[in-house]
């Protein structure tokens, strides 16, 4: 029932982490472009190449406010995704906790009176309150692990590609 929400939360968290990484690596070359002619002189990536093409048509005197708007847009996009992720996870956490408490209470109402008389009331209340909260915290930890694992895999893969290109260019027999 809640699986799609978990997938969307993980994807939004993953996008949030990627946007943070792209934002940091994107802002420095943009600011350096104020002193230079091109945004990224060695635009080896598709993003750098796209930025060079975009800023090619912008006069040098107008770049500062365009860069400021780009930075503001990137921060606004990341903040919007972060806010949406937080709201969606809060909704999922609340509904899942309610669902678990409802099921536990419903099961408690359907058991025989002998079970209730033999059980300690504190243990039953603890199950209704604490155990459902622990399940909610476990879900939060699991979603965080998925987000961090996905981000780690992407960053590791991109670093492998960068190092591989550098090694091939340095040790190429035709270099």
């Amino acid at each position: 029932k809640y699986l799609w929400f978990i997938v969307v939360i993980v994807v939004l968290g993953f996008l949030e982490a990627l946007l943070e990484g792209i934002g940091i690596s994107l802002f420095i070359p943009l600011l350096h472009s104020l002193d230079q002619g091109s945004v990224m002189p060695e635009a080896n990536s598709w993003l750098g190449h796209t930025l060079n093409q975009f800023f090619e048509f912008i006069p040098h005197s107008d770049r500062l406010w365009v860069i400021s708007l780009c930075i503001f847009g990137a921060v606004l996009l990341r903040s919007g995704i972060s806010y949406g992720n937080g709201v969606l996870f809060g909704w999922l956490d609340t509904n899942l906790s309610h669902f678990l408490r409802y099921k536990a209470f419903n099961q408690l109402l359907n058991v025989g009176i002998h079970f209730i008389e033999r059980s300690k009331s504190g243990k039953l209340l603890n199950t209704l309150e604490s155990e459902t909260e622990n399940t909610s915290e476990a879900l939060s930890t699991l979603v965080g692990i998925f987000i961090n694992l996905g981000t780690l895999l992407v960053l590791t893969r991109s670093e492998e590609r960068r190092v591989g290109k550098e090694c091939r260019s340095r040790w190429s027999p035709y270099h």
Side-chain angles (χ1 to χ4, degrees):
K1 182 177 180 178
Y2 297 108
L3 182 63
W4 284 104
F5 291 106
I6 294 172
V7 170
V8 170
I9 288 169
V10 168
V11 167
L12 285 176
F14 181 67
L15 282 175
E16 181 183 347
L18 286 180
L19 284 175
E20 185 173 338
I22 288 174
I24 291 170
S25 63
L26 186 65
F27 295 157
I28 294 171
L30 284 175
L31 293 175
H32 285 299
S33 74
L34 295 174
D35 294 337
Q36 302 167 357
S38 67
V39 177
M40 294 181 186
E42 70 278 341
N44 294 333
S45 66
W46 65 271
L47 186 59
H49 183 69
T50 304
L51 281 175
N52 274 335
Q53 287 180 340
F54 176 72
F55 277 92
E56 201 173 84
F57 300 107
I58 296 174
H60 195 68
S61 60
D62 294 337
R63 282 190 184 175
L64 181 60
W65 69 268
V66 172
I67 291 170
S68 300
L69 284 176
C70 289
I71 291 171
F72 179 73
V75 168
L76 190 65
L77 178 65
R78 184 188 174 281
S79 297
I81 288 176
S82 177
Y83 179 75
N85 194 18
V87 167
L88 189 59
F89 187 77
W91 179 86
L92 177 67
D93 188 36
T94 302
N95 281 334
L96 190 61
S97 294
H98 173 72
F99 177 74
L100 290 172
R101 285 186 184 118
Y102 169 77
K103 285 295 191 179
F105 189 71
N106 194 24
Q107 188 172 1
L108 187 61
L109 289 176
N110 290 328
V111 298
I113 192 72
H114 299 295
F115 174 78
I116 294 175
E117 288 176 347
R118 282 183 282 146
S119 300
K120 295 180 181 178
S121 61
K123 183 176 187 244
L124 297 175
L125 289 174
N126 184 39
T127 301
L128 282 174
E129 181 59 33
S130 299
E131 297 302 322
T132 55
E133 189 65 33
N134 289 344
T135 304
S136 173
E137 288 177 20
L139 174 68
S140 174
T141 303
L142 182 66
V143 167
I145 287 171
F146 283 143
I147 291 170
N148 291 335
L149 183 63
T151 305
L152 181 68
L153 289 174
V154 167
L155 294 177
T156 303
R157 179 67 181 141
S158 66
E159 189 64 19
E160 274 180 6
R161 293 171 80 189
R162 186 190 67 77
V163 169
K165 283 181 184 178
E166 188 175 319
C167 289
R168 284 191 299 273
S169 68
R170 284 187 182 201
W171 292 306
S172 172
Y174 305 109
H175 186 257

